[in-house]
Amino acid sequence: MGGVNARMFFVIAAVVVVAFGLMVMLSEWRRERIFAYLDPWSDKYSMGKGYQLSHSLIAFGRGEIFGVGLGGSIEKLHWLPEAHTDFLMAVLGEEFGLLGVLVVLGLFMWMTRRIMHIGRQSIALDRLFAGLVAQGVGIWMGFQTFINIGVNLGALPTKGLTLPLMSYGGSAILMNLIALAVVLRIDYENRLLMRGGRA
């Protein structure tokens, strides 16, 4: 977005992907951890590699369409490790069902889209740095949400990333709030400029 040479960017990305692939393939324990998400049921009872994901999927399954109700989750009662941080979406899926998960997804999509719009608006007002900062925050929030929900649903390997603004954690939520405060300031200055004032 900042105008970096696309060829150089993709070369660096390819080198990183190849290096990551080699690290995984040359280490058995890394390979097992990365690919455990493909078959979590093979090791679901022994607190092993598939334990968290299998209980996450059980939580989503129990929630069905409308959920079991607020506070009705069984999986969060020491069955699902890290239910308050990495696997919070599974608890939401169990308590509020598919509809609750779709509402949360919709809110995150709206927030990410709005942040990206603020960034584009800032760039259109010749405030390039502020616009790139806002768009960077939007990509960060959107990508972290995508990874967290993907891990909870078993579509991605377990990463240990929190759900922005929702998961328990002091430093994570503090950084999320600071980033959003910066975006709100950028939006405020955009509005001032559009009204003919000075940022």
Side-chain angles (χ1 to χ4, degrees), residues 23-38:
M23 284 191 294
V24 169
M25 290 304 145
L26 296 175
S27 173
E28 186 179 347
W29 67 269
R30 284 189 186 121
R31 227 179 11 256
E32 288 175 0
R33 180 168 168 85
I34 291 290
F35 294 112
Y37 80 101
L38 296 174

Side-chain angles (χ1 to χ4, degrees), residues 25-140:
M25 290 304 145
L26 296 175
S27 173
E28 186 179 347
W29 67 269
R30 284 189 186 121
R31 227 179 11 256
E32 288 175 0
R33 180 168 168 85
I34 291 290
F35 294 112
Y37 80 101
L38 296 174
D39 186 15
W41 307 106
S42 64
D43 191 13
K44 59 185 177 291
Y45 296 121
S46 63
M47 290 293 281
K49 298 175 290 293
Y51 184 82
Q52 274 184 303
L53 180 54
S54 60
H55 280 277
S56 176
L57 296 174
I58 289 168
F60 279 112
R62 283 195 74 241
E64 296 182 349
I65 303 294
F66 301 106
V68 296
L70 181 61
S73 170
I74 291 174
E75 287 298 322
K76 71 180 179 185
L77 303 176
H78 302 293
W79 288 103
L80 178 61
E82 309 303 329
H84 59 298
T85 57
D86 302 355
F87 284 87
L88 179 65
M89 184 56 84
V91 175
L92 290 173
E94 186 178 7
E95 294 187 353
F96 298 108
L98 176 65
L99 291 180
V101 170
L102 291 176
V103 166
V104 171
L105 277 174
L107 290 171
F108 273 113
M109 284 175 63
W110 175 82
M111 180 184 74
T112 303
R113 186 172 180 272
R114 183 73 187 118
I115 292 171
M116 296 301 282
H117 174 74
I118 290 169
R120 283 193 305 273
Q121 194 174 54
S122 192
I123 290 169
L125 292 168
D126 288 330
R127 302 180 66 236
L128 183 63
F129 179 75
L132 291 176
V133 167
Q135 289 182 333
V137 170
I139 289 172
W140 162 26

Side-chain angles (χ1 to χ4, degrees), residues 136-148:
V137 170
I139 289 172
W140 162 26
M141 295 282 183
F143 193 64
Q144 188 168 332
T145 302
F146 171 77
I147 290 176
N148 180 277

Side-chain angles (χ1 to χ4, degrees), residues 8-21:
M8 184 61 71
F9 176 80
F10 286 116
V11 166
I12 292 170
V15 168
V16 169
V17 168
V18 169
F20 179 76

